Amino acid sequence: MLSVENLSYTYPESRRPVLKGATLHIRKGMLCGLFGPNGSGKSTLFKCCLKLLTPGQGRVVVNGRDIRGLKVSEIARHAAYVPQEHTTPFGYSVREVVLMGRTPHLGWGFRISRKDIRAVDAALERLGIGELSHLPYNTLSGGQRQLALMARAVAQAPKIMFLDEPASALDFSNQIRLWETMKAMAAQGVTIFACSHDPNHVSWFCDQVVVVRQGKVYRSGAPEMVMTQDTLDAVYRESCRVRHVDRVPVVFPSRLNGFFYNTPPACSVPEETVEQAV
C-alpha cells in the first residue's frame, strides 16, 4: 500500500537535511506506528508522502502509483491526513468539519448526497462525539478537536491514513479508544500510518513499527522485534526500561524522583508481588 524509497528532504530555509535516504514499506491493512525522537523527520516524512513537500530525491508509491504523477484531488481520494494541530478562524460546527472529509467524493457543484450524510453520521458515532456535532469546532478542547479531525478522516473513507500524533491531546480512556478504533479499521483493510511518541501505544496496538532516527529508518518490523531495550536506548539515551507486567511489555522511565528502577532499594517488594497487585 505504501512504499518509500530512498527519500531525502532538506528545508530551504535552514539548508539542514531532515530526511536522509529513508526507505520503508507498509502492506495493506496494517496499523503501522512511526516512532522516533523530536526532530527525527517524522512529520516531514508524512508531508512528503502526501505531496505537501517535494523531496530532493527518492519516491513515494501509494496503492501502486507514484505520487509524482497524481493530482492533489487523486491523492485525497486515496489518503487522509490528521495533523498534530489544527485551528480555524471560522466558527464551523463539528458536523461541518467532519463533512469536509467528503470533499474528494462530492459530485458536480459539490452536492451533498445521502451517502455523504451517512458517512458523517457513522464517523461521529465511531469516534463517540455525536453529542458535539452542533458545537462550534473552535470552542472545543484540544482533545475534542483531535477526535473531530479523526472523524473527518474516517468520513473521507480513505485507503490509507496518515495520523500525526493522533492521541497526544486525549485523556487516557480516549487514547485507548482511539487506538482500538484504528486497530478495527486496519482489520477492515484500511492501512494506517500513525506517528506516536508513546512507546507503549506502538508496542500494544501496532502490527508494524518504523523507528526513525537522525532522518533515517533505524529499524522496521513487528513491535516485539523492534521495540527492544537496544532500540529505546538508541532513541532515548537510556532514559527508560522495558519490563513485563502479566506478559505485556511496559516501558518505564529509568529515573523517577531520583529513583532508578534498575537499582532496587534495600527493602524491595518481590517482583511477583508487584505483578499480583497489578
Side-chain angles (χ1 to χ4, degrees), residues 153-166:
V154 171
Q156 190 175 333
K159 293 180 176 64
I160 183 169
M161 301 174 69
F162 294 85
L163 312 177
D164 201 347
E165 299 185 42

Side-chain angles (χ1 to χ4, degrees), residues 99-260:
L99 182 59
M100 292 175 189
R102 298 298 302 168
T103 302
H105 307 286
L106 297 182
W108 178 257
F110 293 98
R111 293 183 179 179
I112 300 170
S113 67
R114 292 182 180 179
K115 181 179 179 180
D116 299 317
I117 297 300
R118 289 195 298 269
V120 169
D121 289 338
L124 289 168
E125 181 179 355
R126 187 161 205 169
L127 273 298
I129 56 172
E131 71 279 4
L132 304 178
S133 62
H134 298 292
L135 295 179
Y137 171 83
N138 55 13
T139 66
L140 302 181
S141 69
Q144 290 172 326
R145 289 199 304 271
Q146 202 72 6
L147 290 173
L149 292 177
M150 184 67 183
R152 183 182 69 178
V154 171
Q156 190 175 333
K159 293 180 176 64
I160 183 169
M161 301 174 69
F162 294 85
L163 312 177
D164 201 347
E165 299 185 42
S168 61
L170 302 180
D171 61 60
F172 185 77
S173 176
N174 276 318
Q175 288 177 7
I176 301 303
R177 178 174 184 171
L178 180 61
W179 279 100
E180 289 175 339
T181 298
M182 290 189 283
K183 191 77 173 176
M185 292 182 66
Q188 294 172 353
V190 180
T191 305
I192 299 179
F193 198 13
C195 172
S196 176
H197 281 296
D198 193 318
N200 288 316
H201 287 170
V202 297
S203 296
W204 298 341
F205 295 103
C206 291
D207 304 306
Q208 176 183 349
V209 180
V210 173
V211 178
V212 291
R213 179 172 176 262
Q214 298 177 350
K216 300 179 180 180
V217 174
Y218 178 71
R219 285 184 182 173
S220 178
E224 61 270 21
M225 302 300 294
V226 172
M227 298 302 290
T228 62
Q229 188 66 61
D230 288 344
T231 298
L232 292 171
D233 286 347
V235 172
Y236 291 137
R237 299 182 181 179
E238 302 182 0
S239 63
C240 52
R241 293 288 180 267
V242 181
R243 298 289 184 265
H244 285 77
V245 178
D246 291 339
R247 299 182 180 179
V248 176
V250 180
V251 178
F252 294 94
S254 295
R255 186 168 77 177
L256 187 62
N257 295 330
F259 171 71
F260 285 85

